[in-house]
Amino acid sequence: MTKSFTLRAALMGSCMALAATSVSAKELRGWNIHVEDYPVSIAMEAFAAEVAERTGGELTAKTFHNGVLGSQPDAIEQLRLGVLDFGEFSLGPFGTSVPEANVVSLPFIFKSIPDMYKLMDGDVGEAISVGMRERGVEPLGWYDAGARSFYNSVRPINTPADVEGLKIRVMNNDLFVQMVASMDGNATPMAFAEVYQSIQTGVVDGAENNPPSYESTNHFEVAKYYSLTEHLIIPECLCMSKKTFDSLSEEEQKIVKEAGHASAVLQRELWQKREAASMETVKAGGTTVNTVADKAPFQAAMTPVYENFLAANPDLTELVDMIRNAE
């Protein structure tokens, strides 16, 4: 065999190896509604970095922030179809297609944020994961979205009677419509991006959300009353399309699962810091913040919401009880 032939064979072998690497390497596309310095966004970038490092670059993940890949409902559908590979979503919008996920959208179902962490990282999270997998979504980690409270441009809310007549924007989920209606308010589902102008022009009087969302969107500029009802503690999900997940090797699946959980731990730490900073910002901006000392009247007002939900979903009674009766 001549030296030139040997050299050509070696070069051909190297080219074939490089070609095989480029073919097998895969970049995952991810959706995120938040700005790049948000706790969710930072945690998603950490997820991507860990996946790339642990797979030696064979699997990479690129997150598209600021909702540039579409609205949340559209992105969820794209995820289920495998058009998007991963994303970070509130479980609220998932409730319309995943009954198990809707359980965490019941008002006051979690006693506290630490209670939510414990349950979502355990049997409750796994029960919800089963329902999500059946609908094409693989959960990787449960993110913190704090506690949601009401804000509006009219008055402080201290009792359910204070909600009467207020036009409140809610996420597109019938449970949230029922929640506001149970206090004789007028719920208006609309896209989150439309809320600022809608409050400013009087289309709605207010909305409900966590402190970082209230602050980062500047909603506190047009809705100066923030009442800490903390009526909803809805976890968020770093999720992967099940089509994408099933296409990965066992080792890659293990890596994305572990990276997802690690990113959730990081996000929770960042979230708590951001939440405290957001509260300082809105107070400095002139917001009237009131803590609801007695939540019992609000909880009592939610009785019809629970009755309607369990009547429509009797098979979820055990899951609801598991959360409500947790020690």
Side-chain angles (χ1 to χ4, degrees):
M1 183 180 290
T2 64
K3 289 184 178 178
S4 61
F5 181 83
T6 304
L7 180 59
R8 286 198 303 273
L11 288 172
M12 184 177 294
S14 297
C15 289
M16 290 176 67
L18 286 171
T21 298
S22 63
V23 169
S24 64
K26 181 174 183 178
E27 181 177 83
L28 308 176
R29 295 171 71 248
W31 180 93
N32 175 32
I33 198 171
H34 300 292
V35 296
E36 293 185 22
D37 65 347
Y38 205 70
V40 165
S41 310
I42 296 169
M44 291 182 77
E45 293 294 344
F47 164 76
E50 182 171 342
V51 168
E53 180 182 353
R54 292 182 60 185
T55 62
E58 288 298 298
L59 192 62
T60 59
K62 178 175 176 57
T63 302
F64 292 84
H65 304 291
N66 294 298
V68 297
L69 296 183
S71 68
Q72 184 160 225
D74 288 346
I76 289 173
E77 188 59 24
Q78 290 181 54
L79 188 83
R80 294 178 64 194
L81 295 172
V83 178
L84 281 172
D85 296 304
F86 70 102
E88 197 277 345
F89 307 95
S90 169
L91 288 186
F94 266 112
T96 57
S97 57
V98 183
E100 294 87 349
N102 224 16
V103 167
V104 300
S105 291
L106 286 164
F108 300 103
I109 192 162
F110 289 114
K111 298 180 179 69
S112 66
I113 298 294
D115 182 56
M116 181 272 287
Y117 290 164
K118 177 182 176 182
L119 293 170
M120 292 305 295
D121 287 341
D123 291 343
V124 170
E126 183 50 38
I128 293 171
S129 295
V130 170
M132 295 178 77
R133 289 187 192 109
E134 290 175 353
R135 291 158 184 86
V137 177
E138 181 68 38
L140 303 179
W142 305 111
Y143 282 21
D144 187 1
R148 298 172 74 98
S149 295
F150 289 110
Y151 53 88
N152 73 93
S153 60
V154 181
R155 57 178 175 263
I157 294 171
N158 286 290
T159 69
D162 295 324
V163 179
E164 184 177 352
L166 292 180
K167 295 172 289 185
I168 302 293
R169 177 267 175 182
V170 295
M171 289 187 288
N172 187 23
N173 185 321
D174 187 57
L175 276 180
F176 307 144
V177 174
Q178 291 184 52
M179 174 186 71
V180 174
S182 71
M183 296 178 284
D184 295 322
N186 300 311
T188 304
M190 69 169 59
F192 189 51
E194 299 173 13
V195 175
Y196 185 99
Q197 185 175 6
S198 295
I199 297 175
Q200 192 175 41
T201 58
V203 173
V204 296
D205 297 310
E208 49 83 53
N209 220 314
N210 54 57
S213 293
Y214 174 55
E215 172 263 322
S216 65
T217 54
N218 296 319
H219 289 179
F220 69 96
E221 295 176 350
V222 290
K224 289 292 189 181
Y225 298 102
Y226 193 33
S227 304
L228 302 182
T229 49
E230 299 181 332
H231 50 271
L232 292 172
I233 298 176
I234 304 177
E236 298 192 351
C237 179
L238 177 66
C239 305
M240 181 169 280
S241 167
K242 195 165 188 305
K243 287 187 177 181
T244 301
F245 185 79
D246 289 346
S247 74
L248 303 178
S249 68
E250 277 191 30
E251 180 61 21
E252 288 171 335
Q253 290 179 350
K254 180 174 181 288
I255 287 170
V256 297
K257 280 281 195 179
E258 291 176 352
H261 179 71
S263 75
V265 172
L266 171 63
Q267 189 270 344
R268 294 170 187 180
E269 294 174 357
L270 295 172
W271 179 268
Q272 290 167 15
K273 294 176 182 177
R274 176 62 183 267
E275 193 168 76
S278 292
M279 287 300 293
E280 291 301 318
T281 298
V282 300
K283 288 176 181 177
T287 295
T288 299
V289 179
N290 67 287
T291 299
V292 176
D294 185 9
K295 295 178 183 175
F298 289 92
Q299 293 167 327
M302 297 303 117
T303 299
V305 179
Y306 276 81
E307 289 176 346
N308 291 339
F309 180 81
L310 293 175
N313 302 278
D315 55 321
L316 295 178
T317 301
E318 184 178 349
L319 181 56
V320 170
D321 290 343
M322 186 191 306
I323 301 174
R324 298 184 83 181
N325 299 330
E327 294 297 331

